[in-house]
Amino acid sequence: MQLLAEREQELRERYGISFRITGIASRRLGWIADANGLKVEKDVGRPPSAASSQHHENSDVRSWLASARADVLFEATSLNIETGQPAIDHIRAALEHGAHAITANKGPIVHAYRQLRDLAAARGKRFLFESTVMDGVPIFSLFDQLPAIHLQGFHGILNSTTNVILSEMEQGLSFDEALKKAQALGVAETDASHDIDGWDAAVKTAALVNVLMDYPIRLNEIAREGIRELTTGAVRNGRRDGWPFKLVCRAKRVGDRVEASVAPEKVLGTSPMGKISGTSSYIYFETDIFPGLSITEENPGLHATAYGMLADFIRVTRDDSP
Amino acid sequence: MQLLAEREQELRERYGISFRITGIASRRLGWIADANGLKVEKDVGRPPSAASSQHHENSDVRSWLASARADVLFEATSLNIETGQPAIDHIRAALEHGAHAITANKGPIVHAYRQLRDLAAARGKRFLFESTVMDGVPIFSLFDQLPAIHLQGFHGILNSTTNVILSEMEQGLSFDEALKKAQALGVAETDASHDIDGWDAAVKTAALVNVLMDYPIRLNEIAREGIRELTTGAVRNGRRDGWPFKLVCRAKRVGDRVEASVAPEKVLGTSPMGKISGTSSYIYFETDIFPGLSITEENPGLHATAYGMLADFIRVTRDDSP
């Protein structure tokens, strides 16, 4: 919301987009809506001054969307790995209400991609999620621009927390010390088991397989191994020998199936994956036209993920323009 | 045209695109048009069997477009560095006729980008040129998907011929032997001075600056140095010392100007540019949101450039769909 506020003038002048924030829902504020617009302070912490706004005491997303007269929903709840909820319900409600749905939550793509994609198409709305993989780097949009291409597989490094931890362990820190440092840097969350055990990387892999390879893979079909078992000694020796450990995501077509995995691998230190350090990320796509097409995101800025949602917002307004 | 024929079924079934080739113009065939469709053999060498087709003996592109009732022009004349002609005239005629214009020729982007872009916008048609830089990798389209982003600069390796020649010289071949080998591989043209003297790289740099940085740079503003002066000894020593020579394209904003150059540089062998070999290419973009966003195209397939035009074709038909 901060980036949206910062770029308000540019959106208006360069893209002809003007907008009002007519609804906010958060754990702290509850469900607030005012179709005339809420006054949102630049620092999002403060509650909106909304004398006339309606508070929806229950979490009835449908009545909230109606009160807000929402045209676009930004969905940013946190990931529920097992079910993808409540994000799936929020997005479904938005599309049925007649709003575009933009999410930064990978759950809906892993658990309900085809359903939500088809619902969006049926309603003439967009379901976009560019910020879910590699921050806001337009990976999904890139493939919109690669029509009639056949994606055979991919590999890459998509989880920052484990990458930072491995880099720190190469310097001699224990796993626990490295984790604390990643947390201090703001890269790892308080409960980082989600990253460490490879879930985040597996969810991103599933999202890419579901969307870009058009194969509905389930999370439990992805062979998954985290970095918890790696000792500092093994990690240091790997780097010293020129074959550092990286948490690598892989997917490939095998017959009419797609096989995918997430696991620590020793990669050649001078290879593109071997050189991905800190919060950078990398993906290599194998296609029929381009045997190797790779994208590296080095040191993403603070706004990279928010930017993904902003770019999705501009995309949906392009569709709506006359 | 071969790729178009190969993918005809997929275009129809997956994208709902059916097409007829209603005009062909080449040095050998002259200007042929038949609005009912020309019969084009899969191997494009043979002349179309077109009893009813009209031959335009003079090169009047307007009457040819009218006879063909063209909806889309594929422009693939060879580059005229000084003027960008006759491609500019062809594209202007197509847009004025009411057809989309797709070109693989960099000349129009260097010499007439703003004019043709504005003409296309005024006519509600598209002017697309994705195959001009990095074969068909969607570089220009990627930035369509990076709205409201600010490109500060870029660097990369964009010319295959010089890259192949430098790789061969590292193995000990003389410049002339390396050039002959690149020609035998089909990478370099008979007259390769265009590549060797850095013109191709400079033209690509100008195209990227004009389009992506929205700065109308002239070709003679780009400091340009080719690889002709490099000796086999220097090239071998560079690689041996871990700092191989590469022909590097650079551009950066300096105040309200853009400075750009093409020159051989010694780059760190283990850096991304140092690892670009043979016909691979690489570009690194500096943006406000993503400080470093890079794309590598490894060993492009035979159809990579043709694919760029095919993808542009699918893009323009998306615009036309109801």
Side-chain angles (χ1 to χ4, degrees):
Chain A
M1 226 167 343
Q2 195 191 333
L3 187 64
L4 203 58
E6 276 178 30
R7 299 286 170 108
E8 182 166 1
Q9 187 182 356
E10 181 175 1
L11 288 177
R12 192 175 55 244
E13 292 174 1
R14 189 160 160 202
Y15 295 94
I17 299 173
S18 55
F19 62 88
R20 277 200 309 274
I21 294 174
T22 60
I24 299 177
S26 75
R27 215 164 266 154
R28 196 165 65 79
L29 299 174
W31 298 74
I32 303 169
D34 184 344
N36 295 316
L38 295 163
K39 208 169 167 60
V40 182
E41 300 298 327
K42 275 212 178 181
D43 91 16
V44 188
R46 275 179 249 164
S49 62
S52 65
S53 70
Q54 299 178 32
H55 285 258
H56 296 254
E57 291 303 329
N58 59 16
S59 65
D60 182 346
V61 61
R62 282 164 209 276
S63 68
W64 174 75
L65 287 163
S67 299
R69 290 196 215 134
D71 294 319
V72 181
L73 171 74
F74 293 83
E75 217 286 336
T77 56
S78 47
L79 173 63
N80 179 316
I81 280 204
E82 281 85 35
T83 66
Q85 291 292 11
I88 294 171
D89 284 346
H90 294 166
I91 292 165
R92 192 186 292 121
L95 294 170
E96 288 175 350
H97 166 78
H100 301 289
I102 295 169
T103 187
N105 187 324
K106 291 169 276 287
I109 307 158
V110 173
H111 291 284
Y113 170 61
R114 291 189 167 201
Q115 182 193 67
L116 295 172
R117 175 195 68 185
D118 294 345
L119 175 60
R123 300 298 170 118
K125 295 291 160 185
R126 302 289 299 272
F127 165 46
L128 297 180
F129 38 80
E130 196 57 272
S131 55
T132 55
V133 178
M134 282 178 94
D135 310 298
V137 174
I139 296 294
F140 297 106
S141 303
L142 177 73
F143 275 81
D144 281 344
Q145 298 299 329
L146 286 168
I149 213 163
H150 301 274
L151 179 59
Q152 317 292 0
F154 62 83
H155 63 263
I157 297 174
L158 300 174
N159 178 263
S160 297
T161 298
T162 48
N163 212 44
V164 168
I165 290 175
L166 291 172
S167 299
E168 295 298 331
M169 288 172 75
E170 289 172 357
Q171 307 300 318
L173 296 193
S174 71
F175 178 87
D176 287 336
E177 290 165 341
L179 171 58
K180 284 209 181 72
K181 184 149 181 189
Q183 285 165 334
L185 289 170
V187 178
E189 292 171 52
T190 316
D191 176 7
S193 56
H194 182 65
D195 293 312
I196 293 161
D197 294 329
W199 284 110
D200 176 72
V203 166
K204 286 171 174 164
T205 302
L208 293 170
V209 170
N210 280 344
V211 178
L212 300 183
M213 301 182 81
D214 196 25
Y215 180 83
I217 202 164
R218 289 190 311 274
L219 215 44
N220 63 13
E221 292 176 78
I222 297 178
R224 182 186 46 77
E225 188 187 330
I227 63 164
R228 215 180 273 275
E229 306 298 320
L230 294 178
T231 63
T232 298
V235 171
R236 287 189 80 162
N237 289 346
R239 172 61 72 181
R240 189 199 57 207
D241 300 343
W243 287 84
F245 277 102
K246 295 288 171 188
L247 188 66
V248 178
C249 305
R250 292 188 180 274
K252 67 173 179 206
R253 290 193 198 278
V254 178
D256 55 3
R257 294 182 55 249
V258 172
E259 291 185 355
S261 63
V262 170
E265 290 183 20
K266 283 188 164 185
V267 302
L268 183 60
T270 57
S271 72
M273 285 207 289
K275 298 178 77 67
I276 296 300
S277 62
T279 60
S280 299
S281 52
Y282 172 83
I283 192 156
Y284 180 103
F285 294 108
E286 296 160 49
T287 78
D288 55 343
I289 301 286
F290 306 107
L293 185 63
S294 65
I295 298 176
T296 305
E297 178 194 17
E298 285 182 28
N299 309 314
L302 275 177
H303 287 327
T305 300
Y307 172 78
M309 298 189 89
L310 178 71
D312 280 343
F313 180 51
I314 297 174
R315 283 182 197 109
V316 303
T317 59
R318 279 181 188 167
D319 285 0
D320 284 344
S321 60
Chain B
M1 230 173 333
Q2 194 190 334
L3 188 63
L4 203 58
E6 275 178 31
R7 298 286 169 109
E8 181 166 2
Q9 187 183 355
E10 181 175 1
L11 288 177
R12 192 174 56 244
E13 293 176 359
R14 189 161 159 201
Y15 296 93
I17 300 173
S18 54
F19 63 88
R20 277 200 309 274
I21 294 174
T22 60
I24 298 176
S26 75
R27 216 164 265 154
R28 197 165 64 79
L29 299 174
W31 298 74
I32 303 169
D34 184 344
N36 295 313
L38 295 164
K39 208 170 168 59
V40 183
E41 300 297 328
K42 275 213 177 178
D43 91 15
V44 188
R46 275 178 250 165
S49 62
S52 65
S53 70
Q54 298 177 32
H55 287 256
H56 296 255
E57 290 305 328
N58 59 16
S59 65
D60 181 346
V61 61
R62 283 163 208 277
S63 68
W64 174 74
L65 287 162
S67 298
R69 291 195 213 136
D71 295 319
V72 181
L73 171 73
F74 293 83
E75 218 286 337
T77 55
S78 46
L79 173 62
N80 178 317
I81 279 204
E82 279 86 35
T83 66
Q85 293 289 14
I88 295 172
D89 284 345
H90 295 166
I91 292 166
R92 192 186 292 124
L95 294 170
E96 288 175 349
H97 166 78
H100 302 289
I102 295 168
T103 187
N105 187 326
K106 290 169 277 288
I109 308 160
V110 173
H111 291 284
Y113 170 61
R114 291 188 167 200
Q115 180 194 67
L116 294 173
R117 176 195 67 184
D118 294 345
L119 175 60
R123 300 297 171 118
K125 295 292 160 185
R126 300 290 299 273
F127 164 46
L128 298 179
F129 38 79
E130 195 59 272
S131 55
T132 55
V133 177
M134 282 179 95
D135 309 298
V137 174
I139 297 294
F140 297 106
S141 304
L142 178 73
F143 276 81
D144 281 344
Q145 300 299 328
L146 286 169
I149 213 163
H150 301 274
L151 179 58
Q152 317 294 359
F154 62 83
H155 62 263
I157 297 174
L158 300 174
N159 178 263
S160 297
T161 298
T162 48
N163 212 44
V164 168
I165 290 174
L166 291 172
S167 299
E168 295 298 331
M169 287 171 76
E170 288 172 358
Q171 306 299 316
L173 295 193
S174 72
F175 177 86
D176 287 337
E177 289 166 341
L179 171 58
K180 283 208 181 74
K181 185 148 179 188
Q183 286 166 332
L185 288 169
V187 177
E189 290 171 54
T190 316
D191 176 8
S193 57
H194 182 64
D195 294 312
I196 292 161
D197 294 329
W199 284 110
D200 177 72
V203 166
K204 286 171 175 163
T205 302
L208 292 169
V209 170
N210 280 344
V211 178
L212 300 182
M213 301 182 81
D214 197 25
Y215 180 83
I217 201 165
R218 289 189 310 274
L219 215 45
N220 63 13
E221 292 176 79
I222 298 178
R224 181 185 48 76
E225 187 187 331
I227 63 164
R228 215 181 273 274
E229 307 298 320
L230 294 177
T231 63
T232 298
V235 171
R236 286 190 79 163
N237 288 347
R239 170 61 72 183
R240 189 200 57 205
D241 300 343
W243 288 83
F245 277 102
K246 294 288 171 189
L247 188 67
V248 178
C249 306
R250 292 189 180 273
K252 66 173 179 207
R253 288 191 198 280
V254 178
D256 55 3
R257 294 183 54 250
V258 172
E259 290 185 354
S261 63
V262 170
E265 290 182 20
K266 282 188 165 185
V267 302
L268 183 60
T270 57
S271 71
M273 284 207 290
K275 298 179 77 68
I276 297 300
S277 62
T279 60
S280 298
S281 51
Y282 172 84
I283 192 156
Y284 180 104
F285 294 108
E286 296 160 47
T287 77
D288 55 343
I289 301 285
F290 305 107
L293 185 62
S294 65
I295 298 177
T296 306
E297 179 194 17
E298 287 183 26
N299 309 313
L302 276 177
H303 287 327
T305 301
Y307 172 77
M309 298 189 88
L310 178 70
D312 279 343
F313 180 52
I314 297 174
R315 285 183 196 107
V316 303
T317 59
R318 279 181 187 167
D319 285 358
D320 284 343
S321 61

